[in-house]
Amino acid sequence: MSIETRTTEGQVSDRALHFLKALVERYIREGQPVGSRTLAKDTGLDLSPATVRNVMADLEDLGLVVSPHTSAGRVPTVAGYRLFVDTLLTVRPPSEDDIASLRTRFDSRSDAKSLVETASTLLSGITHLAGVVMLPRHERNVFRQIELLPLSGTRVLAILVTSEGEVHNRIIATERRFTASQLEQTSNYLNEIFTGQDIKDVRKRLVEDLKSTHRNMDQLMMRAVMLAHEVIESAERKDDCFIAGQTNLMEFGELASMERLRQLFEAFNEKREILHILDRCIAADGVQIFIGEESGYSLLDDCSVVTQTYRVDDEVVGVLGVIGPTRMDYQRVIPIVDVTARLLAAALRQ
């Protein structure tokens, strides 16, 4: 995922790119602003301090690095990381021995949920970041049937059956009394529209319908949408993806404030926005990298997300990846995500 920057590779000199690469690599390793003297040593170039400062100033003018208020050193911006990842990064694939070692962690006799959980644990354990894996699409929760029954007063019993064979009961307090006939008609209407659809898609459709003006709906539609939304809200599963290693993020100073961690852990627990990011990658080809605000989710503005799809029978059925600080070790993380996706796919096929 690329974002607009004030520069492209062609507008940055080879010397500036060399310095940017060294700065990003040093910052990824240490997490501290990088000064001109340190950078001159890292690049191995015989340049005067004034020349180094000028190159750093050029990078800052281009929006690729920034100087924090508390330090004379510089740190990469999202645009700097993006240029580094797109043009300066050399990714080394894992060795055959490493791949063989990873493969032994996947037990092909396990069910899909166990394999997905293994993959998320494996990703977090190897990268020391948060590993996230979406359940295969064919393992997702699907709307099978809903039945609405009248109770005393204005209460309605909603019974939702999903593809997992799970039954969700919800007593709904309505604003008026409904007859058994009206509720049966409403149930038939909902079953005709939603049977076979993913619960997540059903909920999205209902939310959109609730936002639309009531003038566009007849009474049956209004009644159906309002009642269905109540029960779907409580039934929507939160295990459409597995997340492991959230506590790894506490090791990174830039994410370690209590308020920042509280917000991140709430996002991991809720999962909805995380799933939305993964859903956007379903149709993408290859490894996808969202840096900072590129994810479109403000709680991840200080994080990067690296994802890869996985396939069964040549069909993309899910996405996996890692979430960590923007200064994650992309050179190491990207091939691990890619290989794990291939190993998970192979285990699911067996």
Side-chain angles (χ1 to χ4, degrees):
M1 298 290 297
S2 297
I3 59 172
E4 288 189 10
T5 67
R6 294 164 51 196
T7 182
T8 63
E9 183 189 7
Q11 295 173 305
V12 185
S13 70
D14 289 342
R15 177 188 289 173
L17 288 172
H18 189 59
F19 271 78
L20 177 65
K21 185 174 189 290
L23 184 147
V24 173
E25 289 174 344
R26 165 73 70 159
Y27 186 66
I28 284 173
R29 285 197 307 273
E30 300 184 356
Q32 298 295 324
V34 184
S36 299
R37 185 175 299 176
T38 300
L39 204 53
K41 290 179 181 177
D42 285 355
T43 56
L45 298 176
D46 185 18
L47 299 172
S48 69
T51 300
V52 175
R53 286 195 296 271
N54 287 339
V55 175
M56 295 283 274
D58 289 343
L59 289 173
E60 194 161 359
D61 289 342
L62 289 167
L64 299 174
V65 301
V66 66
S67 181
H69 297 301
T70 56
S71 171
R74 267 81 164 189
V75 301
T77 63
V78 169
Y81 280 121
R82 173 51 62 193
L83 185 58
F84 171 79
V85 166
D86 286 350
T87 64
L88 304 174
L89 188 65
T90 303
V91 176
R92 299 187 187 92
S95 68
E96 288 302 318
D97 287 344
D98 287 339
I99 294 174
S101 176
L102 290 170
R103 187 178 287 115
T104 62
R105 300 283 298 275
F106 287 97
D107 184 353
S108 59
R109 295 168 296 180
S110 301
D111 60 21
K113 281 187 182 179
S114 297
L115 290 170
V116 164
E117 196 167 3
T118 295
S120 62
T121 303
L122 191 60
L123 283 170
S124 68
I126 295 175
T127 64
H128 302 291
L129 304 172
V132 54
V133 186
M134 176 192 292
L135 271 174
R137 275 185 164 177
H138 57 265
E139 297 291 331
R140 308 295 279 280
N141 216 12
V142 171
F143 183 108
R144 179 178 288 175
Q145 182 181 359
I146 193 169
E147 185 174 2
L148 302 169
L149 301 170
L151 297 177
S152 60
T154 60
R155 296 183 308 155
V156 172
L157 173 63
I159 305 170
L160 173 68
V161 182
T162 68
S163 59
E164 297 288 307
E166 296 175 354
V167 179
H168 304 268
N169 298 319
R170 179 78 182 266
I171 295 176
I172 304 168
T174 63
E175 295 180 358
R176 49 159 289 192
R177 186 189 297 271
F178 292 105
T179 67
S181 174
Q182 288 174 320
L183 293 177
E184 182 181 5
Q185 186 183 20
T186 303
S187 301
N188 292 339
Y189 173 78
L190 290 168
N191 290 327
E192 185 178 342
I193 293 176
F194 293 125
T195 295
Q197 293 190 31
D198 190 292
I199 288 289
K200 211 158 57 63
D201 295 332
V202 173
R203 183 184 180 280
K204 183 178 178 182
R205 164 78 181 274
L206 291 170
V207 169
E208 290 172 352
D209 286 348
L210 281 172
K211 288 179 180 177
S212 66
T213 59
H214 287 182
R215 290 190 301 272
N216 295 335
M217 297 186 189
D218 60 29
Q219 285 192 334
L220 173 62
M221 287 177 63
M222 284 174 57
R223 183 166 69 235
V225 166
M226 292 171 66
L227 293 173
H229 183 261
E230 289 276 347
V231 67
I232 293 292
E233 186 91 280
S234 63
E236 187 182 17
R237 275 178 17 185
K238 288 192 173 183
D239 61 348
D240 278 349
C241 72
F242 283 86
I243 302 177
Q246 299 96 312
T247 55
N248 288 335
L249 303 186
M250 297 172 69
E251 300 174 11
F252 298 92
E254 59 268 44
L255 303 177
S257 76
M258 289 305 296
E259 178 60 19
R260 193 79 190 82
L261 287 171
R262 184 188 65 79
Q263 293 175 341
L264 279 173
F265 284 11
E266 281 183 4
F268 288 135
N269 184 56
E270 171 61 30
K271 294 185 181 178
R272 191 163 293 146
E273 293 293 342
I274 305 295
L275 274 167
H276 178 64
I277 294 170
L278 298 182
D279 280 335
R280 288 161 56 187
C281 301
I282 283 282
D285 186 29
V287 173
Q288 299 296 299
I289 304 169
F290 300 87
I291 303 172
E293 61 262 24
E294 293 176 4
S295 71
Y297 186 28
S298 60
L299 285 183
L300 297 182
D301 280 355
D302 297 323
C303 298
S304 286
V305 183
V306 178
T307 70
Q308 173 65 295
T309 56
Y310 62 92
R311 296 170 175 267
V312 174
D313 298 329
D314 207 33
E315 177 188 357
V316 173
V317 295
V319 178
L320 57 71
V322 297
I323 299 173
T326 50
R327 67 177 184 92
M328 70 170 63
D329 187 355
Y330 297 95
Q331 179 173 311
R332 181 168 176 270
V333 167
I334 290 170
I336 289 172
V337 169
D338 188 41
V339 167
T340 305
R342 285 189 273 131
L343 293 176
L344 174 59
L348 287 169
R349 283 195 294 267
Q350 294 180 12

